[in-house]
PDB file of all heavy atoms in Angstrom:
ATOM      1  N   TRP A 182      86.968 103.530 102.857  1.00 69.00           N
ATOM      2  CA  TRP A 182      87.070 103.248 101.428  1.00 69.00           C
ATOM      3  C   TRP A 182      87.343 104.514 100.639  1.00 69.00           C
ATOM      4  O   TRP A 182      88.070 104.508  99.650  1.00 69.00           O
ATOM      5  CB  TRP A 182      85.781 102.568 100.938  1.00 69.00           C
ATOM      6  CG  TRP A 182      85.655 101.169 101.438  1.00 69.00           C
ATOM      7  CD1 TRP A 182      84.833 100.717 102.436  1.00 69.00           C
ATOM      8  CD2 TRP A 182      86.405 100.025 101.015  1.00 69.00           C
ATOM      9  NE1 TRP A 182      85.025  99.372 102.649  1.00 69.00           N
ATOM     10  CE2 TRP A 182      85.975  98.917 101.790  1.00 69.00           C
ATOM     11  CE3 TRP A 182      87.390  99.828 100.043  1.00 69.00           C
ATOM     12  CZ2 TRP A 182      86.497  97.639 101.625  1.00 69.00           C
ATOM     13  CZ3 TRP A 182      87.910  98.553  99.875  1.00 69.00           C
ATOM     14  CH2 TRP A 182      87.461  97.473 100.663  1.00 69.00           C
ATOM     15  N   LEU A 183      86.770 105.642 101.102  1.00 62.00           N
ATOM     16  CA  LEU A 183      87.051 106.920 100.453  1.00 62.00           C
ATOM     17  C   LEU A 183      88.507 107.319 100.665  1.00 62.00           C
ATOM     18  O   LEU A 183      89.118 107.956  99.809  1.00 62.00           O
ATOM     19  CB  LEU A 183      86.130 108.020 101.000  1.00 62.00           C
ATOM     20  CG  LEU A 183      84.661 107.963 100.571  1.00 62.00           C
ATOM     21  CD1 LEU A 183      83.869 109.063 101.274  1.00 62.00           C
ATOM     22  CD2 LEU A 183      84.515 108.087  99.070  1.00 62.00           C
ATOM     23  N   ALA A 184      89.058 106.937 101.809  1.00 61.00           N
ATOM     24  CA  ALA A 184      90.454 107.267 102.107  1.00 61.00           C
ATOM     25  C   ALA A 184      91.421 106.566 101.156  1.00 61.00           C
ATOM     26  O   ALA A 184      92.578 106.965 101.045  1.00 61.00           O
ATOM     27  CB  ALA A 184      90.790 106.897 103.560  1.00 61.00           C
ATOM     28  N   LEU A 185      90.932 105.540 100.442  1.00 69.00           N
ATOM     29  CA  LEU A 185      91.777 104.851  99.465  1.00 69.00           C
ATOM     30  C   LEU A 185      92.222 105.777  98.340  1.00 69.00           C
ATOM     31  O   LEU A 185      93.175 105.478  97.622  1.00 69.00           O
ATOM     32  CB  LEU A 185      91.037 103.647  98.878  1.00 69.00           C
ATOM     33  CG  LEU A 185      90.862 102.431  99.799  1.00 69.00           C
ATOM     34  CD1 LEU A 185      90.005 101.375  99.121  1.00 69.00           C
ATOM     35  CD2 LEU A 185      92.217 101.858 100.203  1.00 69.00           C
ATOM     36  N   SER A 186      91.512 106.918  98.196  1.00 66.00           N
ATOM     37  CA  SER A 186      91.916 107.890  97.169  1.00 66.00           C
ATOM     38  C   SER A 186      93.317 108.433  97.453  1.00 66.00           C
ATOM     39  O   SER A 186      93.983 108.950  96.551  1.00 66.00           O
ATOM     40  CB  SER A 186      90.913 109.041  97.094  1.00 66.00           C
ATOM     41  OG  SER A 186      90.809 109.677  98.352  1.00 66.00           O
ATOM     42  N   LEU A 187      93.787 108.279  98.696  1.00 69.00           N
ATOM     43  CA  LEU A 187      95.156 108.684  99.035  1.00 69.00           C
ATOM     44  C   LEU A 187      96.185 107.867  98.257  1.00 69.00           C
ATOM     45  O   LEU A 187      97.329 108.294  98.106  1.00 69.00           O
ATOM     46  CB  LEU A 187      95.402 108.507 100.538  1.00 69.00           C
ATOM     47  CG  LEU A 187      95.061 109.692 101.453  1.00 69.00           C
ATOM     48  CD1 LEU A 187      95.280 109.302 102.896  1.00 69.00           C
ATOM     49  CD2 LEU A 187      95.883 110.916 101.106  1.00 69.00           C
ATOM     50  N   LEU A 188      95.777 106.692  97.778  1.00 77.00           N
ATOM     51  CA  LEU A 188      96.683 105.871  96.980  1.00 77.00           C
ATOM     52  C   LEU A 188      97.108 106.588  95.701  1.00 77.00           C
ATOM     53  O   LEU A 188      98.090 106.208  95.070  1.00 77.00           O
ATOM     54  CB  LEU A 188      96.013 104.542  96.614  1.00 77.00           C
ATOM     55  CG  LEU A 188      95.802 103.532  97.753  1.00 77.00           C
ATOM     56  CD1 LEU A 188      94.972 102.359  97.274  1.00 77.00           C
ATOM     57  CD2 LEU A 188      97.137 103.062  98.303  1.00 77.00           C
ATOM     58  N   ALA A 189      96.358 107.638  95.344  1.00 80.00           N
ATOM     59  CA  ALA A 189      96.713 108.409  94.154  1.00 80.00           C
ATOM     60  C   ALA A 189      98.111 108.996  94.283  1.00 80.00           C
ATOM     61  O   ALA A 189      98.839 109.119  93.290  1.00 80.00           O
ATOM     62  CB  ALA A 189      95.695 109.528  93.922  1.00 80.00           C
ATOM     63  N   TYR A 190      98.515 109.353  95.507  1.00 84.00           N
ATOM     64  CA  TYR A 190      99.839 109.959  95.696  1.00 84.00           C
ATOM     65  C   TYR A 190     100.972 108.946  95.517  1.00 84.00           C
ATOM     66  O   TYR A 190     101.924 109.208  94.779  1.00 84.00           O
ATOM     67  CB  TYR A 190      99.911 110.659  97.058  1.00 84.00           C
ATOM     68  CG  TYR A 190      99.132 111.939  97.072  1.00 84.00           C
ATOM     69  CD1 TYR A 190      97.836 112.000  97.572  1.00 84.00           C
ATOM     70  CD2 TYR A 190      99.675 113.117  96.561  1.00 84.00           C
ATOM     71  CE1 TYR A 190      97.109 113.174  97.571  1.00 84.00           C
ATOM     72  CE2 TYR A 190      98.959 114.309  96.556  1.00 84.00           C
ATOM     73  CZ  TYR A 190      97.669 114.325  97.060  1.00 84.00           C
ATOM     74  OH  TYR A 190      96.965 115.497  97.044  1.00 84.00           O
ATOM     75  N   PRO A 191     100.904 107.753  96.156  1.00 86.00           N
ATOM     76  CA  PRO A 191     101.942 106.754  95.873  1.00 86.00           C
ATOM     77  C   PRO A 191     101.974 106.339  94.403  1.00 86.00           C
ATOM     78  O   PRO A 191     103.057 106.159  93.831  1.00 86.00           O
ATOM     79  CB  PRO A 191     101.540 105.570  96.763  1.00 86.00           C
ATOM     80  CG  PRO A 191     100.765 106.178  97.876  1.00 86.00           C
ATOM     81  CD  PRO A 191     100.037 107.331  97.274  1.00 86.00           C
ATOM     82  N   LEU A 192     100.804 106.194  93.780  1.00 83.00           N
ATOM     83  CA  LEU A 192     100.763 105.823  92.365  1.00 83.00           C
ATOM     84  C   LEU A 192     101.435 106.888  91.506  1.00 83.00           C
ATOM     85  O   LEU A 192     102.226 106.581  90.617  1.00 83.00           O
ATOM     86  CB  LEU A 192      99.311 105.628  91.914  1.00 83.00           C
ATOM     87  CG  LEU A 192      98.607 104.359  92.428  1.00 83.00           C
ATOM     88  CD1 LEU A 192      97.129 104.381  92.059  1.00 83.00           C
ATOM     89  CD2 LEU A 192      99.269 103.109  91.876  1.00 83.00           C
ATOM     90  N   THR A 193     101.128 108.151  91.799  1.00 84.00           N
ATOM     91  CA  THR A 193     101.741 109.254  91.046  1.00 84.00           C
ATOM     92  C   THR A 193     103.247 109.276  91.266  1.00 84.00           C
ATOM     93  O   THR A 193     104.030 109.483  90.331  1.00 84.00           O
ATOM     94  CB  THR A 193     101.130 110.608  91.467  1.00 84.00           C
ATOM     95  OG1 THR A 193      99.713 110.562  91.312  1.00 84.00           O
ATOM     96  CG2 THR A 193     101.680 111.750  90.614  1.00 84.00           C
ATOM     97  N   ALA A 194     103.656 109.069  92.521  1.00 85.00           N
ATOM     98  CA  ALA A 194     105.087 109.119  92.862  1.00 85.00           C
ATOM     99  C   ALA A 194     105.898 108.097  92.075  1.00 85.00           C
ATOM    100  O   ALA A 194     107.052 108.354  91.716  1.00 85.00           O
ATOM    101  CB  ALA A 194     105.274 108.904  94.364  1.00 85.00           C
TER     102      ALA A 194
END
Side-chain angles (χ1 to χ4, degrees):
W182 289 105
L183 287 176
L185 287 175
S186 58
L187 271 176
L188 289 173
Y190 286 97
L192 287 173
T193 305

